[in-house]
Amino acid sequence: RPLPLPTRSTFFHIAHISAQIHTISFGLQDLMTGGRLVLPNFLSLDTCKELEFVHKSCSVVGYKPHVLSTTLSHLIATNCAELIIPFISIRDSLREVVEDHFGCEFELFVEFTGLISWTQGATIGWHSDSNQPYLRQRHYSAVCYLNNYGEDFEGGLFHFQQGEPHTLVPSVGTVVIYTADEQNIHCVDEVTSGERCTLAMWFTRDHLHNEDARLIKQLSEAFIYCDLLHLLEKGVSSESRYFDKKLQSSSQQQDNGGAMRSTHENYEIKLPANESYSKGINSIKKKASSNEWYNSFYKGVVDIEAVRCNADDKYMNSSALVNTLLPKAASSTMYWFVHDDQSQVAENESSCKNSLAELLERNGDNICELRLACLGFECFQEIECLMPTSCDPAKMSFGGRAEVPSSSNLQDVTLSFNGQIAGRSKLETPLMLQFKEEPIPYVFKSCLHALSVVQYFVWRKSIKLSLDADVSKSSSMTIFERHSDEQPNFQLGELVAQPAKKLCRSSMVLSESYQENIKTWRKIINSGRISHQQSADLAFLDKLEFVSFIQQWEDYIFDLWKMLLYSLPYWKASSCIFHVKS
Ligand SMILES: O=C(O)CCC(=O)C(=O)O
Ligand SMILES: [Fe+2]
């Protein structure tokens, strides 16, 4: 899975082109005023789409109203550590550009990496990026634009207070780099519709604010039970059909035959456990060729996961892959997306008990469900799962029961209860999706799982359209074969013809005037030409084709996960996160 990794000479080339382009746009002779650098097409369209996929799958409510964010630390904390992989080459490249551009003889550290999106109403006045005591360590800023002004959102132009360029029109792939001090006071106009997505990074000379050190620590803790060699030693074997396909592709890739050594130019690493590690890799190769490795690897992880997870979780033991790699929810309040003119009031009130639930009923819903709804997907969950036992039943009210859709036994119930407790439950409860009144015959572990698959589908579909690539359709058969065993209904990760139990529509806030509300939300979080095209794509959604993307999503996540586990020892050894060539 090659990520674009421009060389130094490419950067100069890009800088040269960018100077030309911006001479046209701004009537400038020199782009470099005030140490600013604008690089159009720094990121490829596909890279931007991939980051957008990560953000739209995992974002939580940000640090201020109308803003959503996805930090690397959040990804690790929510069992999505593998999703930091798409960032790694970009971080390397950007750090290098910033070091080159500002002639840093010292090495810079990444202070922060995050995806940030601004929705309708978001704005920021004149400021410099180190203007608070707790931001003093920020020396350089880089903002990469992941989507387009005028297509994906309106408003949101970037201005420097003085000097040139005065105004930047965000366009997909462009990065702007500037010093974080008062030389570069800037602002962003209010976003008036749609969702403006960026990758924001800050760099520091202060090693105490090195984000890598914190992230590596967090990763090490997250993977404390996941030691590769330890798992290999366990050598658990099981039936292999599940991993046959992965195995073929991976045994081809793994033939790097030799010493474990980083090819990153700044780091010549000799791992402390170099010898035993390369022995381990050799044994991986051997085992891979006898179809054992992935099974043992997986079994190991799953066994440990099972111990770590609540033993009476009835959904735990169905599909190894699905259970191990699925997102886990952060605190439920981080998903409540409130949006109207009263959001400030909402913020103040949300500290009071119960008022949060009331506010949500008026103004918001969980961002995962909103995103699904805006793409035409509705969530259905078992009603018992939506009723937290710890919650006082007197505080819950159920009403507004509507007709049962004739094509299935999904039931339409309007739910209204304490947002906080129920919210968490909702985010961790298995669900089925319905698209245009058609139930999709698959049980997702949670809203976050469903959202990630749907966003993956949206991402890959748009690639397919733009490149006209032939995405294999055969995997829908594979997935049927894979789950052909006799399994009880409503098992996580299973394809089900008909759910055994009645499921309820779980959109609690939007049910009253569902379609009207969705229209408004679409304008807020998803508008413009691309999403129009996306809705058109989704309108042609064939549910079997969609199901085939579930397998592709698993393969994608699994590949990233392998890369993460492969890279982590290098990162630990060097205290630095960088792209490890395998
Ligand atoms: O998104 C942008 O264009 C800049 C955002 C910004 O100024 C900031 O987050 O400090
Ligand atoms: Fe800023």
Side-chain angles (χ1 to χ4, degrees):
R1 228 189 106 273
L3 282 164
L5 182 63
T7 60
R8 273 165 204 255
S9 59
T10 321
F11 288 133
F12 287 121
H13 183 60
I14 291 170
H16 180 67
I17 297 170
S18 91
Q20 285 179 351
I21 289 171
H22 285 266
T23 305
I24 298 161
S25 325
F26 304 111
L28 295 173
Q29 292 308 309
D30 182 11
L31 237 201
M32 307 292 201
T33 31
R36 298 163 195 169
L37 179 63
V38 180
L39 304 173
N41 303 315
F42 178 80
L43 300 180
S44 71
L45 180 63
D46 191 36
T47 301
C48 295
K49 291 245 163 242
E50 185 171 23
L51 294 180
E52 204 177 12
F53 149 74
V54 172
H55 185 63
K56 291 192 171 176
S57 309
C58 305
S59 64
V60 286
V61 173
Y63 51 96
K64 55 184 196 157
H66 320 295
V67 172
L68 295 156
S69 72
T70 309
T71 64
L72 299 191
S73 166
H74 170 74
L75 289 173
I76 300 168
T78 52
N79 204 39
C80 298
E82 74 284 351
L83 291 177
I84 74 173
I85 291 293
F87 293 81
I88 306 306
S89 293
I90 304 168
R91 282 167 106 252
D92 288 352
S93 312
L94 267 176
R95 183 175 46 199
E96 216 170 297
V97 172
V98 173
E99 281 172 357
D100 278 357
H101 180 62
F102 293 104
C104 303
E105 280 161 31
F106 35 81
E107 193 182 299
L108 290 179
F109 302 97
V110 178
E111 192 256 1
F112 174 89
T113 311
L115 299 169
I116 295 175
S117 69
W118 298 36
T119 64
Q120 193 182 62
T123 179
I124 189 166
W126 296 116
H127 69 283
S128 70
D129 288 348
S130 57
N131 64 356
Q132 298 294 328
Y134 62 91
L135 300 176
R136 294 275 186 258
Q137 70 280 359
R138 295 187 170 177
H139 295 120
Y140 303 103
S141 312
V143 181
C144 304
Y145 297 102
L146 303 180
N147 59 5
N148 286 318
Y149 168 84
E151 285 178 19
D152 304 296
F153 60 91
E154 308 280 346
L157 296 179
F158 177 107
H159 309 284
F160 284 112
Q161 194 174 43
Q162 285 170 344
E164 299 292 346
H166 178 62
T167 297
L168 284 173
V169 180
S171 76
V172 64
T174 297
V175 61
V176 55
I177 289 164
Y178 49 91
T179 60
D181 59 12
E182 300 76 46
Q183 289 184 62
N184 285 301
I185 293 183
H186 57 280
C187 72
V188 180
D189 293 346
E190 181 173 325
V191 172
T192 53
S193 74
E195 184 170 2
R196 177 191 190 266
C197 299
T198 60
L199 167 68
M201 284 187 70
W202 281 279
F203 300 90
T204 181
R205 290 186 291 265
D206 182 349
H207 72 96
L208 292 176
H209 291 277
N210 179 4
E211 179 186 53
D212 292 18
R214 267 187 297 120
L215 294 174
I216 291 167
K217 184 164 180 281
Q218 202 187 346
L219 281 167
S220 307
E221 285 164 6
F223 288 105
I224 197 155
Y225 298 110
C226 249
D227 182 80
L228 190 60
L229 293 174
H230 175 70
L231 291 173
L232 281 170
E233 277 158 18
K234 289 179 88 175
V236 188
S237 66
S238 73
E239 92 279 18
S240 61
R241 77 198 146 100
Y242 197 96
F243 297 108
D244 276 348
K245 216 178 74 194
K246 292 184 178 97
L247 207 57
Q248 279 166 15
S249 56
S250 75
S251 47
Q252 283 153 17
Q253 282 164 17
Q254 289 217 347
D255 191 30
N256 65 351
M260 300 283 294
R261 178 170 251 226
S262 164
T263 44
H264 189 267
E265 50 175 343
N266 296 330
Y267 300 92
E268 279 289 309
I269 299 161
K270 291 219 163 59
L271 291 168
N274 198 356
E275 235 183 65
S276 71
Y277 198 80
S278 49
K279 249 191 231 155
I281 291 296
N282 284 334
S283 87
I284 287 170
K285 281 201 265 175
K286 235 186 256 153
K287 290 186 184 208
S289 59
S290 63
N291 280 12
E292 266 176 58
W293 180 57
Y294 282 99
N295 300 315
S296 61
F297 186 48
Y298 246 104
K299 273 287 176 186
V301 177
V302 171
D303 289 345
I304 288 154
E305 269 294 304
V307 175
R308 290 168 67 192
C309 290
N310 198 338
D312 59 14
D313 181 344
K314 59 183 165 167
Y315 300 104
M316 237 353 258
N317 298 313
S318 40
S319 159
L321 181 65
V322 169
N323 275 320
T324 307
L325 302 182
L326 290 184
K328 295 191 166 87
S331 145
S332 66
T333 49
M334 292 171 79
Y335 298 90
W336 293 119
F337 192 66
V338 175
H339 202 288
D340 80 341
D341 298 337
Q342 304 239 309
S343 59
Q344 200 53 51
V345 182
E347 273 213 327
N348 300 338
E349 283 181 28
S350 65
S351 51
C352 320
K353 262 203 174 148
N354 290 330
S355 72
L356 179 64
E358 282 167 34
L359 277 161
L360 290 170
E361 289 194 26
R362 285 209 312 274
N363 304 323
D365 206 339
N366 96 52
I367 185 65
C368 309
E369 254 181 271
L370 278 176
R371 288 195 187 281
L372 286 168
C374 287
L375 291 164
F377 292 88
E378 288 179 76
C379 301
F380 287 81
Q381 296 172 306
E382 275 183 59
I383 198 149
E384 310 89 88
C385 297
L386 295 171
M387 291 173 65
T389 45
S390 58
C391 189
D392 178 6
K395 285 192 187 139
M396 302 180 203
S397 60
F398 297 80
R401 200 166 159 175
E403 73 274 65
V404 178
S406 52
S407 63
S408 71
N409 57 356
L410 298 185
Q411 213 177 13
D412 190 0
V413 176
T414 305
L415 304 176
S416 140
F417 41 66
N418 183 306
Q420 187 134 5
I421 303 167
R424 175 150 195 113
S425 166
K426 265 159 69 98
L427 287 162
E428 292 177 343
T429 300
L431 62 87
M432 290 184 74
L433 290 179
Q434 178 169 286
F435 184 78
K436 298 213 183 289
E437 307 289 305
E438 273 248 46
I440 291 167
Y442 185 83
V443 181
F444 294 92
K445 181 168 182 187
S446 66
C447 200
L448 284 160
H449 176 207
L451 180 64
S452 189
V453 172
V454 166
Q455 296 292 354
Y456 180 80
F457 176 77
V458 168
W459 167 37
R460 304 315 294 193
K461 276 291 262 194
S462 68
I463 288 167
K464 190 182 163 192
L465 281 183
S466 60
L467 302 180
D468 210 15
D470 182 24
V471 178
S472 161
K473 285 191 176 146
S474 60
S475 45
S476 63
M477 281 316 294
T478 317
I479 204 160
F480 276 111
E481 282 162 17
R482 195 179 94 193
H483 295 295
S484 61
D485 295 350
E486 290 279 303
Q487 294 275 0
N489 260 345
F490 206 77
Q491 282 283 318
L492 167 67
E494 293 302 318
L495 286 164
V496 285
Q498 288 281 307
K501 295 185 180 175
K502 287 201 187 299
L503 305 180
C504 303
R505 173 174 284 134
S506 57
S507 321
M508 57 182 192
V509 177
L510 300 171
S511 310
E512 270 286 293
S513 44
Y514 189 80
Q515 292 305 333
E516 268 315 299
N517 275 311
I518 286 301
K519 265 189 219 153
T520 316
W521 282 108
R522 278 207 178 115
K523 185 163 180 276
I524 293 166
I525 58 169
N526 206 356
S527 83
R529 200 158 61 89
I530 286 182
S531 61
H532 197 76
Q533 191 182 333
Q534 279 172 2
S535 342
D537 296 345
L538 292 169
F540 293 107
L541 178 85
D542 172 311
K543 67 181 173 184
L544 290 185
E545 187 192 6
F546 180 81
V547 166
S548 82
F549 274 86
I550 299 171
Q551 167 88 60
Q552 291 182 36
W553 177 87
E554 290 179 2
D555 290 346
Y556 167 80
I557 294 291
F558 187 70
D559 284 346
L560 292 182
W561 207 62
K562 276 188 291 178
M563 274 192 241
L564 176 65
L565 286 184
Y566 181 79
S567 307
L568 191 54
Y570 291 95
W571 297 350
K572 278 186 185 173
S574 62
S575 301
C576 176
I577 293 178
F578 61 94
H579 174 67
V580 182
K581 291 195 182 121
S582 51

